[in-house]
Amino acid sequence: MARARAVPGFAESASFREAAVRVVAMRTEEVFEHADHVLDTSDIERVHDMRVATRRLRAALEIFATCFPKAEHRKVLKEVKRLADALGERRDPDVAIEAFARVRDALPPGDSTGVDALIDELRERQGRGNEALAAAIERARARGLHERLLALTAAAEAPAP
């Protein structure tokens, strides 16, 4: 699992707002760094890492909510949650396939017919989850979620009028 990166300057943050800007910007970058190749079903850890990154970002957005413009914060948080849900739909069958493959591998030859059928069903579910995830990533890109999250941090940095 990908570890959360340290947030540069976090310990020296002069205020809660400054900490919010630094943490949300870093967690945003982590989410979108994992977007490339996340649809590759041969490496299920990529989905796991991106899913964990969205959870970290969501937590940061919720903790620091008071630091950001309310309307835009609410919109991007909703979109981050939608992306996390799509990642979950893809991740759940990944985990089940891996577990049942271990069960199948421990069975005597010829006794795996039922498990193989279950794995086939799970692979179909994984494929549907992957399609939903692809659509969610495309929607996030089309709506400029990455850029909007960074703009949210920039808005929090700006001095209050």
Side-chain angles (χ1 to χ4, degrees):
M1 173 173 60
R3 292 201 174 274
R5 291 197 324 238
V7 179
F10 178 75
E12 298 83 22
S13 296
S15 68
F16 187 69
R17 182 175 301 279
E18 186 178 321
V21 168
R22 290 174 186 264
V23 170
V24 170
M26 176 62 73
R27 298 302 169 241
T28 295
E29 293 307 324
E30 288 174 340
V31 166
F32 289 95
E33 285 171 3
H34 293 294
D36 290 337
H37 309 293
V38 75
L39 300 173
D40 178 359
T41 58
S42 70
D43 183 359
I44 65 172
E45 292 309 308
R46 293 175 186 194
V47 168
H48 177 65
D49 290 346
M50 188 172 181
R51 186 176 185 207
V52 170
T54 60
R55 288 155 127 178
R56 289 181 184 134
L57 175 58
R58 179 180 172 179
L61 286 167
E62 290 172 347
I63 289 166
F64 295 117
T66 60
C67 299
F68 301 109
K70 191 175 185 174
E72 184 60 14
H73 174 269
R74 186 174 52 248
K75 290 175 188 174
V76 297
L77 180 58
K78 184 177 181 180
E79 290 181 45
V80 169
K81 288 178 181 179
R82 192 176 304 136
L83 182 57
D85 288 347
L87 286 157
E89 287 299 312
R90 167 52 208 287
R91 175 71 178 158
D92 292 345
D94 289 348
V95 172
I97 289 167
E98 190 174 62
F100 282 109
R102 283 192 304 270
V103 168
R104 179 196 56 217
D105 294 346
L107 292 172
D111 287 352
S112 64
T113 305
V115 177
D116 287 336
L118 180 57
I119 290 172
D120 289 344
E121 288 179 32
L122 288 165
R123 288 205 187 283
E124 288 177 21
R125 185 171 155 213
Q126 181 189 48
R128 289 189 303 274
N130 217 34
E131 290 171 8
L133 177 56
I137 291 170
E138 181 54 37
R139 183 174 44 249
R141 286 183 175 145
R143 295 183 51 92
L145 180 59
H146 185 186
E147 297 79 10
R148 289 173 45 226
L149 282 157
L150 295 178
L152 190 70
T153 63
E157 281 184 307

